[in-house]
Amino acid sequence: MAERIIVIDDDPVILKEALRSLKGAGMKTVALKSGEQLLEYISQNESPELILLDIKMPGMDGFETLIRLRKMENKGNETPVIFLTGQEDEEAEIRGLLLGAMDFISGVLNLRVRHAVELIKLQKNLAKEVEKKTKENEELFLQVVASLADAIDAKDAYTKGHSGRVAAYAREIARRCGYDEAQLDAVYMMGLLHDVGKIGVPDNIINKTGRLTDEEFAKIKKHPEIGGRILENIQKMPELVCGAKWHHERFDGKGYPDGLSGFDIPETARIIAVADAYDAMTSNRSYRNVLPQAKVRAEIEEGMGRQFDPRFAGIMLEMIDEDKDYTMRDRPD
């Protein structure tokens, strides 16, 4: 398929020559006579591979046209532009390049345009390949994290799926707060890994059915710090530490490990704290069954401003109220 090039020049002789030259080189070319026509064309058609734009034109000159082109949403704001000029003008070239022009052409049109189009294609293909590989790496990382979360949950026969549910609840709370997709993915990942520190807690303590001794509870309370140390090693995602290390902090400052309070607790940790508490109450445990929904709601409401950030606890209450059939919980069956 021939490349689509738009040429804009108010001089009909130059325009005709450019069309003849480019078409002869096998390039599909559209001719326009002004910047206004270009903006109109771009708004109604697919973006071209390349725009060849004259600088000196009546009405909008080439510089003004490029400025307005870059302000267009979705179309035109990334289309490569090469300025056509009949004379060498260093000042004009500097101005054009600062505005985002790709190049200036004053001669050897076919060869320069062909090289420009090939470079653009190469850049697009490279960007697509990088995007593809990045996506593949992200999916692989998520699979590894999900498998790790399952391994953590498997230490306790009563917490199967806990990390996944906490991640899902936390993501929904964040979504209702207006987080973008990248932020939602990060919150979900933090939810999956929030209990990673339990790797360092003996199984006999995690699975104990009776009341924990003070010494045993002290060991349980170490899992946030252990999790924080583990996740500190993932330097490319430093935010992962937040969920693991501070999801047991309380809004009133009576939590652990650092006794943080209020907005000193990272926001993502405050979100995960609510999600974690909700799942703990709506899942079967070795010492009790799932709590009634009304009891869960009352506990979340009572904890607003004390255990939980009121904003995120309020969102969880909204989610509970929408869950008429109490399906948002651990359902082993």
Side-chain angles (χ1 to χ4, degrees):
M1 181 177 178
E3 298 85 358
R4 203 156 59 88
I5 314 295
I6 297 181
V7 184
I8 305 94
D9 199 306
D10 65 307
D11 188 325
V13 176
I14 295 177
L15 201 58
K16 183 177 180 180
E17 176 60 24
L19 289 176
R20 183 194 63 77
S21 179
L22 294 173
K23 286 182 178 179
M27 288 179 255
K28 184 179 180 181
T29 310
V30 175
L32 302 173
K33 295 181 180 180
S34 68
E36 290 86 353
Q37 286 186 2
L38 171 65
L39 298 177
E40 178 71 16
Y41 181 91
I42 291 290
S43 68
Q44 298 180 5
N45 297 274
E46 292 184 8
S47 298
E49 296 282 345
L50 181 67
I51 295 173
L52 302 179
L53 180 59
D54 186 22
I55 295 178
K56 296 181 179 180
M57 297 183 292
M60 280 196 303
D61 64 12
F63 297 128
E64 179 62 23
T65 300
L66 179 56
I67 290 172
R68 292 182 58 178
L69 183 70
R70 291 297 185 241
K71 291 181 179 178
M72 296 179 70
E73 294 185 4
N74 300 324
K75 289 186 175 183
N77 55 1
E78 295 184 354
T79 304
V81 172
I82 292 179
F83 276 124
L84 297 173
T85 178
Q87 56 186 6
E88 299 294 333
D89 186 337
E90 184 176 349
E91 185 176 335
E93 287 197 19
I94 292 174
R95 183 182 177 190
L97 293 173
L98 288 175
L99 289 174
M102 182 180 180
D103 198 359
F104 278 72
I105 293 180
S106 57
V108 224
L109 186 63
N110 283 352
L111 185 60
R112 294 284 292 278
V113 172
R114 173 61 67 186
H115 285 173
V117 170
E118 289 176 353
L119 177 60
I120 292 164
K121 282 187 172 181
L122 179 61
Q123 290 172 334
K124 286 183 177 179
N125 290 338
L126 181 59
K128 287 180 181 178
E129 190 62 27
V130 169
E131 182 179 359
K132 177 184 174 183
K133 291 299 181 184
T134 300
K135 186 69 175 176
E136 289 176 354
N137 289 338
E138 288 175 350
E139 290 175 353
L140 178 60
F141 184 55
L142 182 58
Q143 290 172 10
V144 172
V145 169
S147 296
L148 178 59
D150 287 343
I152 297 164
D153 291 348
K155 285 173 67 69
D156 183 348
Y158 288 89
T159 60
K160 182 179 181 181
H162 168 69
S163 296
R165 290 190 300 274
V166 169
Y169 301 150
R171 191 182 199 280
E172 178 59 17
I173 294 171
R175 186 191 69 79
R176 295 182 184 217
C177 287
Y179 281 37
D180 62 31
E181 284 301 316
Q183 292 171 321
L184 292 176
D185 290 343
V187 168
Y188 186 79
M189 197 82 70
M190 288 183 226
L192 286 177
L193 291 171
H194 79 282
D195 269 345
V196 68
K198 285 186 176 179
I199 288 175
V201 179
D203 290 359
N204 65 303
I205 295 178
I206 290 177
N207 288 290
K208 186 175 179 179
T209 56
R211 183 181 179 86
L212 294 176
T213 66
D214 291 344
E215 182 181 355
E216 290 169 337
F217 186 57
K219 290 181 179 180
I220 283 281
K221 288 175 66 175
K222 287 184 178 180
H223 82 269
E225 291 183 278
I226 296 171
R229 288 198 300 271
I230 291 171
L231 296 180
E232 281 174 356
N233 295 318
I234 306 178
Q235 297 179 1
K236 289 188 179 296
M237 294 187 71
E239 67 273 15
L240 289 180
V241 172
C242 295
K245 187 170 183 179
W246 292 299
H247 68 281
H248 279 296
E249 299 290 356
R250 290 173 52 107
F251 204 72
D252 60 10
K254 297 180 180 178
Y256 60 90
D258 297 324
L260 301 179
S261 64
F263 301 113
D264 289 336
I265 306 169
E267 184 168 286
T268 49
R270 283 180 268 140
I271 291 174
I272 292 171
V274 178
D276 184 42
Y278 175 83
D279 189 68
M281 290 186 283
T282 58
S283 301
N284 286 310
R285 289 293 186 264
S286 58
Y287 49 89
R288 61 147 175 83
N289 292 325
V290 174
L291 297 181
Q293 189 182 44
K295 174 65 174 175
V296 175
R297 192 191 191 287
E299 291 288 339
I300 297 289
E301 187 171 29
E302 185 179 347
M304 293 177 71
R306 297 168 60 189
Q307 183 175 353
F308 310 119
D309 182 317
R311 179 189 181 195
F312 304 133
I315 293 174
M316 178 54 79
L317 292 178
E318 291 176 3
M319 292 164 60
I320 292 171
D321 292 341
E322 292 169 9
D323 184 26
K324 304 297 184 184
D325 297 324
Y326 200 14
T327 58
M328 189 174 67
R329 61 184 178 89
D330 178 20
R331 301 178 66 87
D333 54 321

